[in-house]
Amino acid sequence: YVLTQPPSVSVAPGQTARITCGGDNIGSKRVHWCQQKPGQAPVVVVYEDSARPSGVPERFSGSNSGNTATLTISRVEAGDEADYYCQVWDGSSDQDWVFGGGTKVTVL
Amino acid sequence: EVQLWESGGGLVQPGGSLRLSCAASGFTFRNFPMNWVRQAPGKGLEWVSTLSSTGQSTYYADSVKGRFTISRDNSKNTLHLQMSSLRADDTAVYYCAKGSADGDYFDYWGHGTLVTVSS
């Protein structure tokens, strides 16, 4: 199973960033998103399509339908600059845990 | 607070072996699946291996199958990854990651340990 993300997204502070994650009928799967800042370990920002772990700002939201899942970051701040990865559990083989290639979000 | 601390990384020659360990705290270790995920320099995240909470079920990426072995000691809250026949393309930061309750995703990550395979 293949997940496709744009390599980069640029956004001005205060604007909205949308990061897509494409996959065959991804809407039938649960999508999870993690944020990775340079030199740091990944941190989950959205799980099960749209749920947020405690401590993650409400500015981070997720949606999933059809062949595309989307992570939306509203009112972008400089501290949101990071790599973002989508991930699913496929369940159709023993290679079940799949990551997208990652999207670098740059705050202009 | 969930904490995961990897150790055991280092420089190893091609064909060599290395054993990574991950010490866990802050949750009931025996109740959750555990995972290894790696990241080659400048590259994205790659799932490596998953072990069920009981240790009965193991899963491996095709890229490491037959060379890596995942194990756990629930009495010591420790996860291991035995790596053998190492290749240059195994060079990466290896992260220990706690699995979610249903095993779908990785809800907490360690800081990572760097494995460099080079002569």
Side-chain angles (χ1 to χ4, degrees), chain A residues 30 32 34 36 40-42 44 47-48 85 87 89 94-95 97 99, chain B residues 39 44-45 47 50 60-62 65 95 102-106 109-110:
Chain A
R30 292 182 290 189
H32 320 286
C34 61
Q36 186 180 32
Q40 297 185 23
V44 175
Y47 64 98
E48 295 176 0
Y85 295 89
Q87 180 257 314
W89 182 78
D94 62 352
Q95 308 291 300
W97 292 267
F99 286 97
Chain B
Q39 186 171 36
L45 300 173
W47 168 75
T50 292
Y60 298 95
D62 284 343
K65 198 173 292 184
Y95 293 101
D102 57 8
D104 245 24
Y105 68 103
F106 317 106
W109 299 65

Side-chain angles (χ1 to χ4, degrees), chain A residues 38-104:
Chain A
Q40 297 185 23
V43 174
V44 175
V45 291
V46 166
Y47 64 98
E48 295 176 0
D49 295 342
S50 58
R52 269 188 317 276
S54 60
V56 173
E58 292 183 5
R59 300 185 297 103
F60 289 83
S61 62
S63 62
N64 183 20
S65 178
N67 293 319
T68 305
T70 303
L71 175 69
T72 301
I73 311 173
S74 304
R75 302 180 299 283
V76 166
E77 302 174 357
D80 298 331
E81 188 161 287
D83 294 324
Y84 292 84
Y85 295 89
C86 60
Q87 180 257 314
V88 301
W89 182 78
D90 180 26
S92 65
S93 72
D94 62 352
Q95 308 291 300
D96 287 335
W97 292 267
V98 182
F99 286 97
T103 298
K104 169 68 176 177

Side-chain angles (χ1 to χ4, degrees), chain B residues 77-98:
Chain B
N77 291 354
T78 305
L79 178 73
H80 301 287
L81 186 68
Q82 178 68 46
M83 305 184 295
S84 61
S85 303
L86 283 162
R87 312 185 302 224
D89 63 358
D90 293 318
T91 294
V93 174
Y94 284 74
Y95 293 101
C96 168
K98 173 184 170 292

